[in-house]
Amino acid sequence: MDRYIINGGRKLGGRLRVHGAKNAVLPIMAAAVLSGDRCSLYDCPDLSDVHHTIKILRTLGCSAELNGDILEINSDSINSWEIPEDLMREMRSSIIFLGAIAGKMGRVRLCAPGGCELGNRPIDLHLKALRQLGMEIREENGFIEAIADKMHSGDVHLSFPSVGATENIILAAVGLKGETTISNAAREPEITDMCDFLNKMGADIEGAGSENIRINGVAHLHGANHKIMPDRIVAATFMCAAMTTKSEIELLNVRSSHLGAIVSAFRDSGAKIEFFKDNMYIRAPEKARSIDMIKTQVYPGFPTDAQSPVMAALCFAEGTSVIVENIFDSRYKIIPELRKMGADILQDGRVAVIKGHDLCGAHIKAMDLRGGAALTVAALGASGQTVLNGVHYIDRGYVSLEKQLKSLGADIERI
Ligand code: EPZ
């Protein structure tokens, strides 16, 4: 297993382009199945989760090739409605294929994704909504078998604005005769990006990005080309790296409208942040101020995926900060690792209290994607050397994080 050797305490500088969003390209790759045609996705990030999803597309009989940052998919040869158990278990967000395969093939068989590093990852909201639209779903021995030939349009309400459930309903409904509405839908920008792509394919979806989405079923979809939106969590992660190393950097290919909660938090902490078109300039303060309270919420609230990297940044801030993680049950795995670096963090359930002061390098390990990115960010700001194990988690959501940080002047090696 690869690891990082990081010699912290160096300032960063320069500029970096933010790559396409993992959480947009994954549902868009599932959506491409519905086209039965050729689709080209531009600015597709070279991530292990993307390669895993390419394997799923090929298993279904589609062709999928990533050349540089262009992903070519052709789903005219799709000939299966089953996802093998090993592929499902490796990446729980593969559940997004449930709606897409059902929509295209009329039936689907896959295993329930089960839990992951972030705790229990139920799909009850997905199944409840799809059953309300007439999908016949059988759950047996951890497998899900669904028949979609009696599906019909209708109105569904989500008791919680689940991102994946919203995406699955849309993918299952785009071909259903009549109008399907989703109330209390998730509003994440990645859903809007997926709907923009589906509308280019000939779908008729309105309201993406709001809590009320309307899908007017269409009989035929076709291939489309699409540029994946920038990854707002990757942008937030590099902002955290600027904060822990007290640096000024420029980020290219960002959307200011996607970063409101993070920008507001770091301006409170003393950072100077400006936007010029699709670029951001951030200058961190020599001594960051603590942030009284950060509560993770659904979009446009503070994103749970940025919680760990921001916790790492707050370890260096003057004073006491409080974080409340409201979305996932188990997103504090990095606290014991940060304590090995000298962090002063108390945790009780969903609440973490961080008393900031400088950190020292240590031997630590990543245990999930965003936690790994957070520990990397902490190590950049810590004095001395850090050995970080488990960087394969980071490869799921960051393209060569070590190369990107090195281009900003960080002393980081991957071995
Ligand atoms: C998506 O996960 C993202 N993944 C996650 O990013 C992100 O953290 C999350 O949305 C929230 O923004 C992808 O887009 C591939 P949810 P998803 O359904 O769809 C509970 C990363 O690091 N829930 O909105 O799984 C669930 O347990 C990843 O890039 C139910 O109870 O998120 C969780 O507590 C991590 N029943 C909460 O809702 C359900 O049927 C949010 O889940 C579904 C979800």
Side-chain angles (χ1 to χ4, degrees), residues 103-340:
K104 180 68 187 165
M105 304 299 284
R107 58 185 304 178
V108 55
R109 185 175 192 277
L110 41 76
C111 69
C116 77
E117 311 83 22
L118 301 182
N120 185 22
R121 300 290 293 275
I123 56 169
D124 56 309
L125 300 175
H126 299 236
L127 302 184
K128 180 168 180 276
L130 292 170
R131 281 183 170 122
Q132 283 172 340
L133 297 176
M135 186 182 280
E136 292 167 60
I137 302 172
R138 202 153 54 87
E139 299 169 78
E140 210 167 77
N141 311 324
F143 275 84
I144 293 167
E145 295 221 10
I147 308 287
D149 53 10
K150 293 195 180 67
M151 284 194 78
H152 51 77
S153 53
D155 300 328
V156 294
H157 175 84
L158 286 172
S159 56
F160 173 85
S162 152
V163 173
T166 302
E167 292 167 343
N168 252 332
I169 297 163
I170 292 167
L171 291 166
V174 286
L176 295 180
K177 198 165 172 315
E179 178 179 88
T180 297
T181 65
I182 309 171
S183 53
N184 197 29
R187 299 168 53 189
E188 274 69 2
E190 292 77 16
I191 294 174
T192 305
D193 210 36
M194 181 190 78
C195 290
D196 289 349
F197 174 62
L198 282 165
N199 284 340
K200 286 178 188 171
M201 284 169 47
D204 177 1
I205 304 165
E206 281 179 0
S210 81
E211 59 186 295
N212 293 302
I213 298 177
R214 186 192 64 73
I215 303 118
N216 194 10
V218 295
H220 178 68
L221 293 170
H222 49 76
N225 300 338
H226 186 72
K227 183 178 178 299
I228 304 296
M229 63 172 262
D231 194 312
R232 59 194 170 98
I233 306 301
V234 167
T237 306
F238 286 120
M239 291 169 74
C240 294
M243 294 298 283
T244 60
T245 58
K246 309 170 189 332
S247 308
E248 54 182 289
I249 62 172
E250 202 177 343
L251 295 178
L252 313 180
N253 193 36
V254 299
R255 295 274 187 289
S256 57
S257 58
H258 295 170
L259 291 162
I262 310 280
V263 169
S264 164
F266 280 154
R267 279 177 174 154
D268 286 354
S269 185
K272 180 176 168 44
I273 299 171
E274 286 169 4
F275 288 94
F276 307 96
K277 294 200 179 73
D278 283 353
N279 303 332
M280 172 209 280
Y281 166 82
I282 176 169
R283 187 180 71 214
E286 271 310 307
K287 199 69 191 144
R289 293 191 292 272
S290 57
I291 298 175
D292 292 342
M293 173 79 79
I294 285 181
K295 294 182 179 179
T296 63
Q297 298 291 348
V298 298
Y299 192 87
F302 194 96
T304 175
D305 292 350
Q307 184 259 101
S308 295
V310 168
M311 176 183 281
L314 292 174
C315 287
F316 296 83
E318 208 155 47
T320 300
S321 307
V322 177
I323 291 179
V324 184
E325 171 55 56
N326 292 309
I327 304 295
F328 284 109
D329 300 336
S330 165
R331 207 160 206 177
Y332 282 144
K333 284 200 172 73
I334 65 168
I335 290 178
E337 301 307 304
L338 288 170
R339 285 188 183 128
K340 289 176 189 167

Side-chain angles (χ1 to χ4, degrees), residues 344-376:
D344 178 351
I345 305 177
L346 299 173
Q347 183 218 336
D348 179 9
R350 292 185 176 277
V351 181
V353 180
I354 302 112
K355 290 200 180 86
H357 53 69
D358 289 341
L359 301 189
C360 304
H363 282 237
I364 52 179
K365 63 181 181 299
M367 287 172 277
D368 65 64
L369 161 57
R370 306 299 175 184
L375 293 171
T376 304

